[in-house]
Amino acid sequence: MSEVSVIGAGFSSLSAACYLAREGHNVTVYEKNTTAGGRARQFSVQGFRFDMGPTFYWMPDIFEKFFADFGTSPDKFYTIHRLDPGYRIYFGKDDYFDQPADLDRLTAAFDGLERGSGGKLRSYLRSARFNYRVAVDKVIYQPAESPFELVMPETVARIPQFTGSLSRRVARSFRDAQIRQMLEFPVLFLGARPDNTPSFYRFMNYADMVLGSWHVEGGMVRVAEGMKRLAEGLGVRFVMDSEITGLQTAGEKVTAIKAHGQTIPTDTVVSGADYAHTESLLPARKRSFKAGYWDKRVFAPSAILFYIGFGKKLENVAHHTLFFDTSFRQHARDIYDRPRWPDEPMFYASFPTRTDPSLGPAGKECAIILIPIAAGMEESEEIKLRYLDQVLRRMELLTGQTLRDYVLFHRSYGCTDFISDYNSYKGNAYGLANTLTQTAFMRPPVRSKKLRNLFFTGQLTVPGPGVPTALVSGKVAAAAALKYLDKLN
């Protein structure tokens, strides 16, 4: 039985801790903040409860698979509800699309936008479903240590899908600009723009349109709390409000972690903290990557978030509402090509009290607004307030109601907060983008290149950004650590 130290209590760390404890190891999780969940924290004010991080619950089958590995199921820990519509997209004033949860209604709605597109959508989603099954059943649980892991009949037959972009594939089947945007939107969860994302990732459309969007009763924090309870039941120990300040090494091993001025011996370390930050805790000669490596990576966006309490119930919005009334491609250029503050950003808003009244006072509305921005942008309170005013004005125009007069409370969160709270490199919100050259074995590896007992999990390693993939990343990292521990014992 070995002593395993897990850094961070985000979803990937919670997942890794569960798998390691299941095999009988003594697992201790050290978390910088006071609650588990990483970015999936929550705060309360004036009767409102805000999810500070993820708000979408996608790919429910991956959550089911995780809990099934421990002989249980998600419904033993939290309750989910499918949203219908899954979300609303605004393209302009009085111009929006509500995505139906039912596929027949969805294809009929597509036909209303472009004649014959409903049948094309069914064909497209059949291919997306195949890709989803290949990805979820055969690819994403691989340790991504070799390109040969990807060589299988299902992927060899689809090699063009790894070299061509999603945008190009969508454009071949659909002419309508709104349909194209709807099919390109889900890859934003991968932290990359559609014209730089392999078309194989169309499996995200299957996750979106067939598996659907769900809400966790009480907020996404309930998932983290459920995983923590599961971990504790397996014997995992949690030390909260405990930031790791250094990793002590000897030869090719980490021998101890440093926290609260103490040096704590360990046999193995699994870090769910930011990869670049974790390496900064090591002597320079023990790091897998030089500092310049991270500057050359393509990072997924950061974000400015606004948490707003409105003194009335809002009209003409869905639980998830996307405001695509400005140029998608221009905003992408402002993030990836020449990082700058966007003049007219696209943005996303969540109004969870429309589904879950427990998250706000009666007759009032809880809102979470997210504007994607380039990682590393220098921000100020003036900039944040300018964007808050802009998005509220646009929402008023698009939804046909007064909003600014009803703001009871607002709080902002940006790059500097991601750095302060999560040691996030350049304040990124989603890790590394899943571009063609940053996919699978081309991402930073789960295993340290210099230290045999140091392993990484989370959004900067495999499989990539997102809550479901974080659960997978934890399992992959745990499997790698367990191989090392089996040899040790």
PDB file of all heavy atoms in Angstrom, residues 364-382:
ATOM      1  N   LYS A 364     -37.334  36.408  -9.207  1.00  0.00           N
ATOM      2  CA  LYS A 364     -36.085  37.033  -9.658  1.00  0.00           C
ATOM      3  C   LYS A 364     -35.314  36.052 -10.537  1.00  0.00           C
ATOM      4  O   LYS A 364     -35.653  34.878 -10.621  1.00  0.00           O
ATOM      5  CB  LYS A 364     -35.263  37.496  -8.453  1.00  0.00           C
ATOM      6  CG  LYS A 364     -36.000  38.524  -7.601  1.00  0.00           C
ATOM      7  CD  LYS A 364     -35.218  38.933  -6.370  1.00  0.00           C
ATOM      8  CE  LYS A 364     -36.032  39.921  -5.524  1.00  0.00           C
ATOM      9  NZ  LYS A 364     -35.292  40.325  -4.299  1.00  0.00           N
ATOM     10  N   GLU A 365     -34.280  36.540 -11.197  1.00  0.00           N
ATOM     11  CA  GLU A 365     -33.558  35.704 -12.157  1.00  0.00           C
ATOM     12  C   GLU A 365     -32.067  35.734 -11.882  1.00  0.00           C
ATOM     13  O   GLU A 365     -31.463  36.800 -11.693  1.00  0.00           O
ATOM     14  CB  GLU A 365     -33.811  36.200 -13.585  1.00  0.00           C
ATOM     15  CG  GLU A 365     -33.566  35.166 -14.654  1.00  0.00           C
ATOM     16  CD  GLU A 365     -34.779  34.238 -14.841  1.00  0.00           C
ATOM     17  OE1 GLU A 365     -35.722  34.627 -15.543  1.00  0.00           O
ATOM     18  OE2 GLU A 365     -34.750  33.127 -14.263  1.00  0.00           O
ATOM     19  N   CYS A 366     -31.490  34.545 -11.872  1.00  0.00           N
ATOM     20  CA  CYS A 366     -30.042  34.359 -11.733  1.00  0.00           C
ATOM     21  C   CYS A 366     -29.446  34.265 -13.138  1.00  0.00           C
ATOM     22  O   CYS A 366     -29.968  33.541 -13.989  1.00  0.00           O
ATOM     23  CB  CYS A 366     -29.795  33.077 -10.947  1.00  0.00           C
ATOM     24  SG  CYS A 366     -28.081  32.596 -10.733  1.00  0.00           S
ATOM     25  N   ALA A 367     -28.380  35.004 -13.409  1.00  0.00           N
ATOM     26  CA  ALA A 367     -27.780  34.989 -14.744  1.00  0.00           C
ATOM     27  C   ALA A 367     -26.262  34.875 -14.650  1.00  0.00           C
ATOM     28  O   ALA A 367     -25.638  35.507 -13.792  1.00  0.00           O
ATOM     29  CB  ALA A 367     -28.151  36.242 -15.520  1.00  0.00           C
ATOM     30  N   ILE A 368     -25.691  34.073 -15.540  1.00  0.00           N
ATOM     31  CA  ILE A 368     -24.247  33.928 -15.663  1.00  0.00           C
ATOM     32  C   ILE A 368     -23.908  34.218 -17.118  1.00  0.00           C
ATOM     33  O   ILE A 368     -24.410  33.547 -18.019  1.00  0.00           O
ATOM     34  CB  ILE A 368     -23.785  32.509 -15.284  1.00  0.00           C
ATOM     35  CG1 ILE A 368     -24.211  32.175 -13.847  1.00  0.00           C
ATOM     36  CG2 ILE A 368     -22.269  32.366 -15.438  1.00  0.00           C
ATOM     37  CD1 ILE A 368     -24.299  30.693 -13.553  1.00  0.00           C
ATOM     38  N   ILE A 369     -23.092  35.223 -17.357  1.00  0.00           N
ATOM     39  CA  ILE A 369     -22.739  35.630 -18.719  1.00  0.00           C
ATOM     40  C   ILE A 369     -21.245  35.400 -18.929  1.00  0.00           C
ATOM     41  O   ILE A 369     -20.428  35.758 -18.072  1.00  0.00           O
ATOM     42  CB  ILE A 369     -23.093  37.106 -18.963  1.00  0.00           C
ATOM     43  CG1 ILE A 369     -24.608  37.300 -18.857  1.00  0.00           C
ATOM     44  CG2 ILE A 369     -22.592  37.559 -20.336  1.00  0.00           C
ATOM     45  CD1 ILE A 369     -25.053  38.751 -18.953  1.00  0.00           C
ATOM     46  N   LEU A 370     -20.901  34.804 -20.069  1.00  0.00           N
ATOM     47  CA  LEU A 370     -19.497  34.485 -20.377  1.00  0.00           C
ATOM     48  C   LEU A 370     -19.124  35.055 -21.730  1.00  0.00           C
ATOM     49  O   LEU A 370     -19.801  34.792 -22.735  1.00  0.00           O
ATOM     50  CB  LEU A 370     -19.282  32.975 -20.349  1.00  0.00           C
ATOM     51  CG  LEU A 370     -17.859  32.456 -20.589  1.00  0.00           C
ATOM     52  CD1 LEU A 370     -17.646  31.130 -19.866  1.00  0.00           C
ATOM     53  CD2 LEU A 370     -17.535  32.281 -22.080  1.00  0.00           C
ATOM     54  N   ILE A 371     -18.044  35.831 -21.758  1.00  0.00           N
ATOM     55  CA  ILE A 371     -17.476  36.357 -23.004  1.00  0.00           C
ATOM     56  C   ILE A 371     -16.114  35.707 -23.212  1.00  0.00           C
ATOM     57  O   ILE A 371     -15.202  35.913 -22.400  1.00  0.00           O
ATOM     58  CB  ILE A 371     -17.296  37.888 -22.949  1.00  0.00           C
ATOM     59  CG1 ILE A 371     -18.614  38.586 -22.624  1.00  0.00           C
ATOM     60  CG2 ILE A 371     -16.730  38.402 -24.270  1.00  0.00           C
ATOM     61  CD1 ILE A 371     -18.461  40.087 -22.390  1.00  0.00           C
ATOM     62  N   PRO A 372     -15.931  34.909 -24.263  1.00  0.00           N
ATOM     63  CA  PRO A 372     -14.606  34.334 -24.527  1.00  0.00           C
ATOM     64  C   PRO A 372     -13.620  35.426 -24.940  1.00  0.00           C
ATOM     65  O   PRO A 372     -13.950  36.297 -25.752  1.00  0.00           O
ATOM     66  CB  PRO A 372     -14.852  33.366 -25.685  1.00  0.00           C
ATOM     67  CG  PRO A 372     -16.339  33.158 -25.719  1.00  0.00           C
ATOM     68  CD  PRO A 372     -16.937  34.440 -25.230  1.00  0.00           C
ATOM     69  N   ILE A 373     -12.433  35.395 -24.375  1.00  0.00           N
ATOM     70  CA  ILE A 373     -11.366  36.329 -24.754  1.00  0.00           C
ATOM     71  C   ILE A 373     -10.064  35.550 -24.849  1.00  0.00           C
ATOM     72  O   ILE A 373      -9.960  34.414 -24.392  1.00  0.00           O
ATOM     73  CB  ILE A 373     -11.223  37.482 -23.734  1.00  0.00           C
ATOM     74  CG1 ILE A 373     -10.849  36.934 -22.346  1.00  0.00           C
ATOM     75  CG2 ILE A 373     -12.486  38.327 -23.666  1.00  0.00           C
ATOM     76  CD1 ILE A 373     -10.473  38.005 -21.337  1.00  0.00           C
ATOM     77  N   ALA A 374      -9.058  36.162 -25.442  1.00  0.00           N
ATOM     78  CA  ALA A 374      -7.759  35.512 -25.548  1.00  0.00           C
ATOM     79  C   ALA A 374      -7.126  35.379 -24.170  1.00  0.00           C
ATOM     80  O   ALA A 374      -7.257  36.266 -23.322  1.00  0.00           O
ATOM     81  CB  ALA A 374      -6.848  36.317 -26.463  1.00  0.00           C
ATOM     82  N   ALA A 375      -6.440  34.265 -23.954  1.00  0.00           N
ATOM     83  CA  ALA A 375      -5.706  34.089 -22.704  1.00  0.00           C
ATOM     84  C   ALA A 375      -4.584  35.116 -22.638  1.00  0.00           C
ATOM     85  O   ALA A 375      -3.993  35.480 -23.650  1.00  0.00           O
ATOM     86  CB  ALA A 375      -5.136  32.674 -22.626  1.00  0.00           C
ATOM     87  N   GLY A 376      -4.315  35.595 -21.427  1.00  0.00           N
ATOM     88  CA  GLY A 376      -3.210  36.520 -21.232  1.00  0.00           C
ATOM     89  C   GLY A 376      -3.556  37.980 -21.417  1.00  0.00           C
ATOM     90  O   GLY A 376      -2.668  38.839 -21.312  1.00  0.00           O
ATOM     91  N   MET A 377      -4.818  38.302 -21.654  1.00  0.00           N
ATOM     92  CA  MET A 377      -5.201  39.698 -21.822  1.00  0.00           C
ATOM     93  C   MET A 377      -5.135  40.432 -20.486  1.00  0.00           C
ATOM     94  O   MET A 377      -5.544  39.905 -19.453  1.00  0.00           O
ATOM     95  CB  MET A 377      -6.616  39.800 -22.394  1.00  0.00           C
ATOM     96  CG  MET A 377      -6.786  39.189 -23.775  1.00  0.00           C
ATOM     97  SD  MET A 377      -5.770  39.995 -25.026  1.00  0.00           S
ATOM     98  CE  MET A 377      -6.581  41.592 -25.147  1.00  0.00           C
ATOM     99  N   GLU A 378      -4.606  41.645 -20.518  1.00  0.00           N
ATOM    100  CA  GLU A 378      -4.576  42.468 -19.313  1.00  0.00           C
ATOM    101  C   GLU A 378      -5.919  43.178 -19.189  1.00  0.00           C
ATOM    102  O   GLU A 378      -6.370  43.840 -20.111  1.00  0.00           O
ATOM    103  CB  GLU A 378      -3.429  43.475 -19.376  1.00  0.00           C
ATOM    104  CG  GLU A 378      -2.044  42.828 -19.351  1.00  0.00           C
ATOM    105  CD  GLU A 378      -0.937  43.859 -19.261  1.00  0.00           C
ATOM    106  OE1 GLU A 378      -1.251  45.054 -19.040  1.00  0.00           O
ATOM    107  OE2 GLU A 378       0.234  43.473 -19.410  1.00  0.00           O
ATOM    108  N   GLU A 379      -6.529  43.023 -18.021  1.00  0.00           N
ATOM    109  CA  GLU A 379      -7.866  43.552 -17.849  1.00  0.00           C
ATOM    110  C   GLU A 379      -7.879  44.594 -16.739  1.00  0.00           C
ATOM    111  O   GLU A 379      -6.948  44.691 -15.943  1.00  0.00           O
ATOM    112  CB  GLU A 379      -8.840  42.419 -17.518  1.00  0.00           C
ATOM    113  CG  GLU A 379      -8.487  41.713 -16.220  1.00  0.00           C
ATOM    114  CD  GLU A 379      -9.073  40.319 -16.092  1.00  0.00           C
ATOM    115  OE1 GLU A 379      -9.623  39.815 -17.070  1.00  0.00           O
ATOM    116  OE2 GLU A 379      -8.950  39.742 -15.000  1.00  0.00           O
ATOM    117  N   SER A 380      -8.948  45.344 -16.695  1.00  0.00           N
ATOM    118  CA  SER A 380      -9.153  46.333 -15.648  1.00  0.00           C
ATOM    119  C   SER A 380     -10.632  46.366 -15.320  1.00  0.00           C
ATOM    120  O   SER A 380     -11.471  45.853 -16.076  1.00  0.00           O
ATOM    121  CB  SER A 380      -8.687  47.714 -16.111  1.00  0.00           C
ATOM    122  OG  SER A 380      -9.515  48.180 -17.178  1.00  0.00           O
ATOM    123  N   GLU A 381     -10.966  46.970 -14.207  1.00  0.00           N
ATOM    124  CA  GLU A 381     -12.372  47.093 -13.843  1.00  0.00           C
ATOM    125  C   GLU A 381     -13.115  47.916 -14.884  1.00  0.00           C
ATOM    126  O   GLU A 381     -14.282  47.642 -15.191  1.00  0.00           O
ATOM    127  CB  GLU A 381     -12.496  47.730 -12.456  1.00  0.00           C
ATOM    128  CG  GLU A 381     -13.867  47.570 -11.835  1.00  0.00           C
ATOM    129  CD  GLU A 381     -14.257  46.113 -11.620  1.00  0.00           C
ATOM    130  OE1 GLU A 381     -13.368  45.264 -11.447  1.00  0.00           O
ATOM    131  OE2 GLU A 381     -15.476  45.820 -11.632  1.00  0.00           O
ATOM    132  N   GLU A 382     -12.452  48.899 -15.454  1.00  0.00           N
ATOM    133  CA  GLU A 382     -13.071  49.738 -16.490  1.00  0.00           C
ATOM    134  C   GLU A 382     -13.449  48.898 -17.709  1.00  0.00           C
ATOM    135  O   GLU A 382     -14.540  49.040 -18.271  1.00  0.00           O
ATOM    136  CB  GLU A 382     -12.115  50.848 -16.901  1.00  0.00           C
ATOM    137  CG  GLU A 382     -12.660  51.759 -17.993  1.00  0.00           C
ATOM    138  CD  GLU A 382     -11.651  52.785 -18.457  1.00  0.00           C
ATOM    139  OE1 GLU A 382     -10.531  52.831 -17.904  1.00  0.00           O
ATOM    140  OE2 GLU A 382     -11.979  53.549 -19.389  1.00  0.00           O
TER     141      GLU A 382
END
